[in-house]
Amino acid sequence: MKRILLIVGGGIAAYKACELIRLIRKAGMSVRCVLTEGGAQFVTPMTLAALSEQPVHTSLWDLKNEAEMGHIQLSREADLVVVVPATADLLARMAAGIADDLATTLLLATDKPVLAVPAMNVRMWLHAATQRNVAQLRADGVTVLEPDEGPMACGEYGPGRLPEPEAILQAIVSLGTSGGRLAGKHMIVTAGPTHEPIDPVRYIANRSSGKQGFAIAGALARLGAKVTLVAGPVSLPTPPGVTRHDVETAREMAAAVDAALPADAAILVAAVADWRVEPTGIKIKKRADGAPPELALTENPDILAGLGRDARKPRLLIGFAAETNDVVPNARAKLARKGADWIVANDVSGDVMGGANNRVHLVTASGVEDWEAMPKDQVAARLADRIADALS
Ligand code: CTP
């Protein structure tokens, strides 16, 4: 498990560190907080302790009195040190190597990677001194994120806003895989079923747990890719470092994929419902004469085929095909029909839907590879590896 040492600096964006703690823990990592004197003006040690379920450290001297954990140990036992928000003052002291409080002492003492996430007024960010300090820190090996641009708490507009906690988490995850083979690449993954409403209480859907698609999104993120996961209705946790968009219907999924373009690869794992009905606003009642309602089906957009003929088609377009018979011939036909580069075909005639294992065939223009049956996360890891090969 990855251990994060989170240094919370003194800026209005400190409150966003609270959400970040929640996300880090949800991603399966532990987090220990250090609060600067300035930071304590914005969030309390109690808040951070409650969210991290770890003691919060505020002063160099308290630490010694408690004899609980020295600052060297505190800085060394983490896998990554993250500074949120990195104020102009904190960046300046870091760049100068000043160690006059617990936070800066830890930053000087650590031998672990450091991620600084700046947030400050736009003029302070653009000031030559800050830009000089950031350049120095980057030269020293610190990863300094670019702040977001937008309206600021002080009423001005420009770069200086703290990036969203999800983006910070993504940076944390990719630092853990720094030098990852897919660093700098953007991947779109669709997963899960879609639900096509019939009326407010009923829907048409395909059977899909979403497990395989989520595993692929996670495996790609572990290789350092920026991953956009467009998920139909499933109850699965978001893999660490993955940006997730939840959708319900095929048309919503198509729109979310379109909005996420461009991408280096798209892996469409979702079991998209092929048809929809025009839903009624009110619940359909059973008729006294027992006659069933008639549902007029309309074909849904084919997201894979749409990407296959789009000018923004990703370099690598991968579809999945769940087949009950003639698995490989059907997959070959789909490859050609939908303009995909690869089809990952799986035989669902047995009991694989929703299960942990998957037996797949990788169908490409140059042939077919039969993979042995293996857990879905191994299929994901192997596929992510093959994607990295293809894009390198
Ligand atoms: N797919 C899609 N949009 C759709 C239907 C399917 O993007 N409306 C994608 C799936 O995500 C998958 C691939 O197309 O990657 C194959 O899906 P499948 O349902 O097997 O293909 P169909 O075209 O529906 O073919 P079939 O006649 O076998 O149902």
Side-chain angles (χ1 to χ4, degrees):
M1 173 152 103
K2 219 149 85 183
R3 295 157 304 174
I4 308 296
L5 182 68
L6 179 65
I7 294 175
V8 180
I12 179 67
Y15 77 93
K16 287 194 187 169
C18 300
E19 173 65 3
L20 180 64
I21 295 170
R22 218 179 52 77
L23 294 179
I24 292 172
R25 297 195 61 202
K26 224 170 112 192
M29 297 177 266
S30 71
V31 54
R32 201 177 253 274
C33 297
V34 169
L35 189 57
T36 66
E37 205 182 318
Q41 301 292 322
F42 295 93
V43 291
T44 70
M46 185 76 89
T47 310
L48 301 182
L51 290 170
S52 64
E53 292 189 81
Q54 300 265 4
V56 172
H57 309 277
T58 51
S59 149
L60 204 46
W61 317 114
D62 279 358
L63 207 61
K64 283 183 182 154
N65 293 341
E66 282 169 18
E68 172 206 327
M69 194 185 284
H71 57 269
I72 303 289
Q73 195 188 346
L74 195 52
S75 73
R76 298 279 167 85
E77 72 144 18
D79 299 307
L80 177 69
V81 182
V82 182
V83 187
V84 173
T87 59
D89 174 66
L90 206 41
L91 289 171
R93 286 190 292 146
M94 284 169 76
I98 292 172
D100 60 353
D101 64 0
L102 178 61
T104 49
T105 304
L106 291 171
L107 285 160
L108 202 58
T110 190
D111 57 355
K112 296 295 160 46
V114 176
L115 170 69
V117 192
M120 67 196 73
N121 165 275
V122 51
R123 306 268 156 241
M124 292 169 79
W125 171 251
L126 294 174
H127 196 284
T130 303
Q131 290 303 312
R132 193 166 61 233
N133 290 330
V134 168
Q136 181 61 56
L137 287 167
R138 286 180 175 151
D140 293 345
V142 174
T143 304
V144 185
L145 292 191
E146 285 298 314
D148 276 358
E149 198 169 318
M152 321 207 66
C154 53
E156 291 188 69
Y157 186 97
R161 286 168 57 94
L162 191 81
E164 287 308 316
E166 287 77 11
I168 303 174
L169 179 72
Q170 184 159 353
I172 290 173
V173 171
S174 35
L175 270 178
T177 55
S178 62
R181 302 175 63 214
L182 286 173
K185 299 278 194 293
H186 178 216
M187 312 274 136
I188 300 173
V189 179
T190 66
T194 64
H195 285 182
E196 310 298 330
I198 296 170
D199 69 12
V201 297
R202 305 180 180 94
Y203 59 81
I204 302 177
N206 278 28
R207 216 188 268 284
S208 170
S209 67
K211 284 180 194 159
Q212 186 64 80
F214 273 59
I216 290 168
L220 293 167
R222 279 195 295 280
L223 292 186
K226 173 177 182 283
V227 182
T228 305
L229 172 62
V230 181
V234 289
S235 51
L236 289 173
T238 309
V242 168
T243 305
R244 173 176 179 174
H245 297 284
D246 284 317
V247 297
E248 181 124 0
T249 66
R251 284 187 294 176
E252 286 167 12
M253 186 171 273
V257 167
D258 190 78
L261 287 169
D264 298 283
I267 304 96
L268 304 190
V269 196
V272 183
D274 290 305
W275 304 280
R276 66 174 182 274
V277 293
E278 281 318 316
T280 61
I282 53 166
K283 188 179 168 193
I284 301 170
K285 295 308 247 181
K286 275 185 283 193
R287 282 174 37 170
D289 64 5
E294 293 215 345
L295 299 178
L297 299 176
T298 310
E299 197 163 312
N300 266 329
D302 189 315
I303 304 164
L304 179 60
L307 280 180
R309 47 173 189 265
D310 197 298
R312 299 163 300 166
K313 177 185 167 183
R315 241 170 87 199
L316 192 58
L317 180 59
I318 305 175
F320 265 65
E323 306 286 352
T324 54
N325 53 285
D326 300 321
V327 178
V328 170
N330 275 332
R332 276 191 195 286
K334 256 172 216 175
L335 188 79
R337 192 171 75 237
K338 302 203 184 198
D341 299 301
W342 300 353
I343 291 280
V344 181
N346 61 333
D347 187 341
V348 292
S349 55
D351 187 26
V352 284
M353 296 297 263
N357 275 314
N358 211 349
R359 184 172 156 68
V360 307
H361 311 270
L362 181 63
V363 180
T364 70
S366 52
V368 182
E369 272 177 37
D370 302 314
W371 293 6
E372 66 275 15
M374 61 182 102
K376 286 181 177 173
D377 43 14
Q378 272 180 34
V379 172
R382 197 190 283 195
L383 187 66
D385 227 47
R386 296 296 302 272
I387 292 170
D389 288 344
L391 293 178
S392 68

